[in-house]
Amino acid sequence: MALFALGAVLATAFVHAFWNLLVKQSENKAAFLYFSVIISIVVFLPVAVLSTPPWVIPDLLPVLAVTGVAETIYMVALTKAYEHGDLSMVYPLARGSPPLFVTLWSVLVAGDYLPPAGYLGIALIVVAIYLTTLPSLSDWWKPIKSLEQVSSRWALLSGLCIATYTLADRQGVRLIDPKIYNLYVYLVMALGFTPYFLLSRYRLTARPTWNANWVGIIGTGIVSISSYMIILWALTVAPVSYVSAIRGTGVIIGAFYGWRLRHERLGAPRALGAALFALGIVSLALGG
């Protein structure tokens, strides 16, 4: 995997982990997500339209349909997961499971095979993500047992949606310019989430949520669509399994935020996870 692409995707993982922290801390998580999507569209619309004329081809419609459904379910599932569970349990499941789903699909269905170093790198990153969720090495079973909780099942569903729209995005950027595709993704996301939001109880406290979090919402909207643009570009130059694995490292970064910003204990599992993560990155870089 090209070092520049690897570094760019890794940078987006830092951003993603941080705005998930902001969503978790907000009172109305659905409103926070909804407003940030609207901000993303408003900010990126002139950039996309002025740089590349918008156009849609028939082959793109099924891709947008799959992405729209997956993105909408993802937003609903992530909202539900954060309402019922802690960031330390929800985020690793939501971001750590997609690399497995994407790699299995790529190999078993799409027939996209990777060099041995690529598989080794993905495996090391997945193990690193898992270790990061452990309070101690003796609690290796705890994340698996957590699947009994409703929050974990919502988180796993959001991970499955991430894998689904990642695979759809790979096809989408092959059909049209990534900048226009990026805009379309957010448009179908807003189209799918709007009815759910307006018909739910979340709309009742939407205004107070905006008043209390408007700086974070605007910032999230800007960095979210910008980092997604980087992901789409990376999908044009690197295997989808690699991109998905690097995106999942937001879990490691989230643990780093907890250590540096919230003074949480680093612990042996997280230290070992960070080491395996570094080895996984090196393996992906060498794997081509």
Side-chain angles (χ1 to χ4, degrees):
M1 184 176 183
L3 290 178
F4 182 75
L6 188 153
V9 176
L10 189 57
T12 68
F14 278 89
V15 172
H16 193 276
F18 189 74
W19 72 250
N20 268 258
L21 178 63
L22 296 180
V23 173
K24 173 58 183 174
Q25 292 176 341
S26 65
E27 287 293 327
N28 187 335
K29 297 161 183 58
F32 191 104
L33 282 173
Y34 181 70
F35 288 139
S36 68
V37 169
I38 300 302
I39 292 296
S40 294
I41 294 171
V42 171
V43 168
F44 199 73
L45 180 63
V47 175
V49 172
L50 291 177
S51 61
T52 309
W55 55 293
V56 178
I57 59 177
D59 290 346
L60 184 64
L61 297 178
V63 176
L64 289 175
V66 171
T67 295
V69 171
E71 291 274 13
T72 300
I73 297 175
Y74 161 72
M75 292 178 69
V76 173
L78 190 65
T79 297
K80 294 291 186 181
Y82 281 144
E83 285 179 353
H84 293 94
D86 295 332
L87 179 72
S88 60
M89 187 56 67
V90 170
Y91 194 63
L93 275 175
R95 299 306 299 182
S97 56
L100 284 175
F101 296 140
V102 169
T103 302
L104 287 174
W105 174 275
S106 298
V107 173
L108 299 178
V109 180
D112 294 334
Y113 296 99
L114 303 174
Y119 290 117
L120 175 61
I122 292 171
L124 287 171
I125 288 173
V126 170
V127 172
I129 291 169
Y130 190 85
L131 285 172
T132 304
T133 70
L134 302 181
S136 67
L137 291 175
S138 62
D139 290 324
W140 61 268
W141 52 269
K142 191 171 183 178
I144 298 174
K145 188 173 177 58
S146 74
L147 292 176
E148 298 174 357
Q149 303 172 11
V150 64
S151 60
S152 295
R153 292 195 291 270
W154 279 116
L156 199 59
L157 175 59
S158 68
L160 181 60
C161 290
I162 292 170
T164 301
Y165 69 66
T166 298
L167 291 165
D169 291 345
R170 172 60 169 159
Q171 181 63 26
V173 295
R174 290 174 173 175
L175 297 173
I176 63 170
D177 186 287
K179 290 189 291 297
I180 293 300
Y181 181 78
N182 193 23
L183 176 63
Y184 286 156
V185 166
Y186 275 77
L187 287 173
V188 296
M189 195 189 310
L191 184 64
F193 196 64
T194 294
Y196 171 80
F197 179 73
L198 294 180
L199 295 174
S200 69
R201 58 182 172 83
Y202 301 115
R203 64 180 174 81
L204 301 177
T205 56
R207 185 181 294 275
T209 298
W210 170 263
N211 292 337
N213 301 278
W214 65 271
V215 174
I217 289 171
I218 292 175
T220 296
I222 294 172
V223 300
S224 173
I225 198 166
S226 300
S227 61
Y228 205 79
M229 181 67 245
I230 295 173
I231 295 297
L232 294 177
W233 166 78
L235 287 172
T236 66
V237 298
V240 63
S241 299
Y242 287 7
V243 175
S244 180
I246 300 298
R247 292 182 77 186
T249 59
V251 175
I252 317 289
I253 295 162
F256 174 80
Y257 285 157
W259 174 50
R260 296 298 297 173
L261 303 180
R262 301 173 66 88
H263 307 291
E264 297 176 357
R265 182 172 172 269
L266 183 62
R270 289 181 174 178
L272 180 58
L276 291 179
F277 160 67
L279 290 175
I281 294 293
V282 171
S283 185
L284 288 187
L286 296 177

